[in-house]
Structure formats: structure tokens, C-alpha cells
Amino acid sequence: MKQKRFSEAQQEYRPLLQFEAERAATHYGLAGVYFQSRSVDRAEHHLREALRLQPNHKMAHYDLGAMLVETGALDEGIEHLRTCVQLDPDYGDGYYNLAVALAAHGSLVEAAKEIKIALSLQPEDDQTQRFSRHLSALIEDHARLGGR
């Protein structure tokens, strides 16, 4: 995968899947290969399978949530991102992506709460700082326009 030879990585995972079909880690790894090779449907399938096998797999919730948000399934994506941060309350990237998803959903005040947590966990992260400023500006504009 690091060499971006995705079809070869998929071939390496296939025998593993035959012997380790009930291991969440195998499905999670294969999901990463499929996501990197832009096979989003297959990646989603394997992330869901990883979660079926290990419902508290923080990173599977995170990746599935981010993927769903990116494809427009905001409500379900937000649910998975919420689960991610519930499983690991110190995961700043989880709060960041949850804030982005909530803002896209139109829940600006709730997004502001989540980005504040992200900032407290990763105060030096440029992307988190930029989004926090952007979100503050959106909230100010929204208030100035009377909440329309």
C-alpha cells in the first residue's frame, strides 16, 4: 500500500480473508486498500464487516463516518463519528471531522462545540485552527443575517 501498488495489496489480502474472514483487522486493512484504490463501495463493505465483527473498532467508525460524510450520507456519517469520539474521547481528528460533518449538516452551534474540543486536544494543528476560524465566521454571518 505504501508503494501505491493497490492491486498487489488486494491480492495479498485475498488469501488472508479466506483464513481470517472473522477478524475485524483483516477487513479493516482490506477496506484501506480498496479506499486508496478508489473502490469506495468495497471499502464501505469491509468497514461495515469490521464493525460487525468488532463493534467498538474506533478507526473503522472514524473511516466509515468520514467516508459517508464525503459521499453525502451525513446523518449516518455523523453517527459513526460520534461513536468514534465516544470510544476515544482524546481523539482530536475524530472531533475535527465530527465538527466538519455537523457544519455541513447545518448544525453550526453543535459543530462549534466539537471543534472547541478538537482544538483543546490538538491546539497546534493548522487545519483545526483554520476550520475553527472559518466556523466562527459562519456563525457570525448566520447571526448577522438573523439566523436565515
Side-chain angles (χ1 to χ4, degrees), residues 66-83:
M67 184 185 309
L68 289 168
V69 167
E70 198 172 297
T71 60
L74 291 175
D75 290 334
E76 187 181 359
I78 288 169
E79 283 180 42
H80 284 285
L81 291 168
R82 281 190 202 283
T83 301

mmCIF file of all heavy atoms in Angstrom, residues 66-83:
data_model
loop_
_atom_site.group_PDB
_atom_site.id
_atom_site.type_symbol
_atom_site.label_atom_id
_atom_site.label_comp_id
_atom_site.label_asym_id
_atom_site.label_seq_id
_atom_site.Cartn_x
_atom_site.Cartn_y
_atom_site.Cartn_z
ATOM 1 N N ALA A 66 -16.261 9.243 8.081
ATOM 2 C CA ALA A 66 -15.689 10.230 7.164
ATOM 3 C C ALA A 66 -16.072 9.920 5.715
ATOM 4 O O ALA A 66 -16.409 10.823 4.943
ATOM 5 C CB ALA A 66 -14.175 10.277 7.328
ATOM 6 N N MET A 67 -16.047 8.642 5.362
ATOM 7 C CA MET A 67 -16.395 8.237 4.006
ATOM 8 C C MET A 67 -17.865 8.547 3.710
ATOM 9 O O MET A 67 -18.202 9.060 2.636
ATOM 10 C CB MET A 67 -16.124 6.737 3.818
ATOM 11 C CG MET A 67 -16.372 6.239 2.417
ATOM 12 S SD MET A 67 -16.191 4.442 2.253
ATOM 13 C CE MET A 67 -14.601 4.164 2.980
ATOM 14 N N LEU A 68 -18.740 8.256 4.645
ATOM 15 C CA LEU A 68 -20.165 8.512 4.443
ATOM 16 C C LEU A 68 -20.444 10.007 4.322
ATOM 17 O O LEU A 68 -21.239 10.424 3.487
ATOM 18 C CB LEU A 68 -20.980 7.892 5.579
ATOM 19 C CG LEU A 68 -21.043 6.369 5.574
ATOM 20 C CD1 LEU A 68 -21.617 5.845 6.883
ATOM 21 C CD2 LEU A 68 -21.850 5.858 4.386
ATOM 22 N N VAL A 69 -19.783 10.803 5.153
ATOM 23 C CA VAL A 69 -19.954 12.256 5.064
ATOM 24 C C VAL A 69 -19.506 12.746 3.692
ATOM 25 O O VAL A 69 -20.182 13.538 3.046
ATOM 26 C CB VAL A 69 -19.184 12.967 6.203
ATOM 27 C CG1 VAL A 69 -19.087 14.466 5.951
ATOM 28 C CG2 VAL A 69 -19.850 12.686 7.545
ATOM 29 N N GLU A 70 -18.381 12.240 3.250
ATOM 30 C CA GLU A 70 -17.836 12.639 1.953
ATOM 31 C C GLU A 70 -18.776 12.283 0.800
ATOM 32 O O GLU A 70 -18.840 12.997 -0.204
ATOM 33 C CB GLU A 70 -16.485 11.953 1.750
ATOM 34 C CG GLU A 70 -15.632 12.585 0.696
ATOM 35 C CD GLU A 70 -14.239 11.988 0.683
ATOM 36 O OE1 GLU A 70 -13.522 12.126 1.684
ATOM 37 O OE2 GLU A 70 -13.883 11.375 -0.348
ATOM 38 N N THR A 71 -19.522 11.197 0.936
ATOM 39 C CA THR A 71 -20.423 10.772 -0.134
ATOM 40 C C THR A 71 -21.838 11.324 0.047
ATOM 41 O O THR A 71 -22.731 10.994 -0.723
ATOM 42 C CB THR A 71 -20.479 9.236 -0.247
ATOM 43 O OG1 THR A 71 -20.938 8.686 0.985
ATOM 44 C CG2 THR A 71 -19.120 8.659 -0.604
ATOM 45 N N GLY A 72 -22.031 12.158 1.093
ATOM 46 C CA GLY A 72 -23.326 12.815 1.270
ATOM 47 C C GLY A 72 -24.274 12.156 2.241
ATOM 48 O O GLY A 72 -25.362 12.670 2.481
ATOM 49 N N ALA A 73 -23.898 11.049 2.837
ATOM 50 C CA ALA A 73 -24.748 10.377 3.828
ATOM 51 C C ALA A 73 -24.421 10.960 5.207
ATOM 52 O O ALA A 73 -23.836 10.296 6.065
ATOM 53 C CB ALA A 73 -24.531 8.871 3.787
ATOM 54 N N LEU A 74 -24.787 12.230 5.386
ATOM 55 C CA LEU A 74 -24.370 12.975 6.575
ATOM 56 C C LEU A 74 -24.876 12.377 7.881
ATOM 57 O O LEU A 74 -24.104 12.247 8.838
ATOM 58 C CB LEU A 74 -24.830 14.430 6.472
ATOM 59 C CG LEU A 74 -24.139 15.282 5.426
ATOM 60 C CD1 LEU A 74 -24.783 16.664 5.352
ATOM 61 C CD2 LEU A 74 -22.664 15.399 5.725
ATOM 62 N N ASP A 75 -26.141 12.031 7.953
ATOM 63 C CA ASP A 75 -26.695 11.541 9.218
ATOM 64 C C ASP A 75 -25.975 10.293 9.716
ATOM 65 O O ASP A 75 -25.557 10.229 10.880
ATOM 66 C CB ASP A 75 -28.200 11.260 9.087
ATOM 67 C CG ASP A 75 -29.022 12.530 8.932
ATOM 68 O OD1 ASP A 75 -28.563 13.595 9.404
ATOM 69 O OD2 ASP A 75 -30.105 12.465 8.339
ATOM 70 N N GLU A 76 -25.821 9.312 8.842
ATOM 71 C CA GLU A 76 -25.142 8.087 9.259
ATOM 72 C C GLU A 76 -23.660 8.345 9.523
ATOM 73 O O GLU A 76 -23.081 7.801 10.467
ATOM 74 C CB GLU A 76 -25.303 6.975 8.222
ATOM 75 C CG GLU A 76 -24.751 5.660 8.733
ATOM 76 C CD GLU A 76 -24.855 4.516 7.740
ATOM 77 O OE1 GLU A 76 -25.374 4.710 6.619
ATOM 78 O OE2 GLU A 76 -24.400 3.419 8.108
ATOM 79 N N GLY A 77 -23.046 9.190 8.712
ATOM 80 C CA GLY A 77 -21.648 9.527 8.927
ATOM 81 C C GLY A 77 -21.438 10.178 10.286
ATOM 82 O O GLY A 77 -20.486 9.845 11.011
ATOM 83 N N ILE A 78 -22.317 11.097 10.646
ATOM 84 C CA ILE A 78 -22.238 11.765 11.951
ATOM 85 C C ILE A 78 -22.373 10.745 13.075
ATOM 86 O O ILE A 78 -21.648 10.809 14.074
ATOM 87 C CB ILE A 78 -23.295 12.889 12.044
ATOM 88 C CG1 ILE A 78 -22.875 14.061 11.150
ATOM 89 C CG2 ILE A 78 -23.504 13.335 13.486
ATOM 90 C CD1 ILE A 78 -23.951 15.118 10.937
ATOM 91 N N GLU A 79 -23.283 9.789 12.927
ATOM 92 C CA GLU A 79 -23.440 8.743 13.953
ATOM 93 C C GLU A 79 -22.135 7.994 14.183
ATOM 94 O O GLU A 79 -21.729 7.757 15.324
ATOM 95 C CB GLU A 79 -24.520 7.737 13.531
ATOM 96 C CG GLU A 79 -25.932 8.211 13.693
ATOM 97 C CD GLU A 79 -26.915 7.131 13.255
ATOM 98 O OE1 GLU A 79 -26.698 5.950 13.587
ATOM 99 O OE2 GLU A 79 -27.885 7.488 12.564
ATOM 100 N N HIS A 80 -21.470 7.597 13.105
ATOM 101 C CA HIS A 80 -20.219 6.851 13.237
ATOM 102 C C HIS A 80 -19.117 7.720 13.847
ATOM 103 O O HIS A 80 -18.331 7.228 14.671
ATOM 104 C CB HIS A 80 -19.784 6.274 11.891
ATOM 105 C CG HIS A 80 -20.571 5.081 11.496
ATOM 106 N ND1 HIS A 80 -20.385 3.840 12.061
ATOM 107 C CD2 HIS A 80 -21.580 4.943 10.602
ATOM 108 C CE1 HIS A 80 -21.238 2.985 11.532
ATOM 109 N NE2 HIS A 80 -21.972 3.631 10.635
ATOM 110 N N LEU A 81 -19.060 8.983 13.471
ATOM 111 C CA LEU A 81 -18.052 9.872 14.048
ATOM 112 C C LEU A 81 -18.322 10.113 15.532
ATOM 113 O O LEU A 81 -17.382 10.176 16.337
ATOM 114 C CB LEU A 81 -17.988 11.187 13.268
ATOM 115 C CG LEU A 81 -17.419 11.048 11.853
ATOM 116 C CD1 LEU A 81 -17.661 12.322 11.047
ATOM 117 C CD2 LEU A 81 -15.940 10.699 11.891
ATOM 118 N N ARG A 82 -19.583 10.217 15.903
ATOM 119 C CA ARG A 82 -19.922 10.347 17.337
ATOM 120 C C ARG A 82 -19.475 9.103 18.107
ATOM 121 O O ARG A 82 -18.930 9.207 19.207
ATOM 122 C CB ARG A 82 -21.425 10.532 17.522
ATOM 123 C CG ARG A 82 -21.932 11.904 17.255
ATOM 124 C CD ARG A 82 -23.399 12.010 17.715
ATOM 125 N NE ARG A 82 -24.095 13.077 17.077
ATOM 126 C CZ ARG A 82 -23.975 14.357 17.389
ATOM 127 N NH1 ARG A 82 -23.150 14.723 18.322
ATOM 128 N NH2 ARG A 82 -24.671 15.270 16.755
ATOM 129 N N THR A 83 -19.715 7.948 17.524
ATOM 130 C CA THR A 83 -19.292 6.712 18.181
ATOM 131 C C THR A 83 -17.784 6.679 18.333
ATOM 132 O O THR A 83 -17.262 6.286 19.380
ATOM 133 C CB THR A 83 -19.788 5.480 17.384
ATOM 134 O OG1 THR A 83 -21.218 5.526 17.308
ATOM 135 C CG2 THR A 83 -19.351 4.182 18.049
#
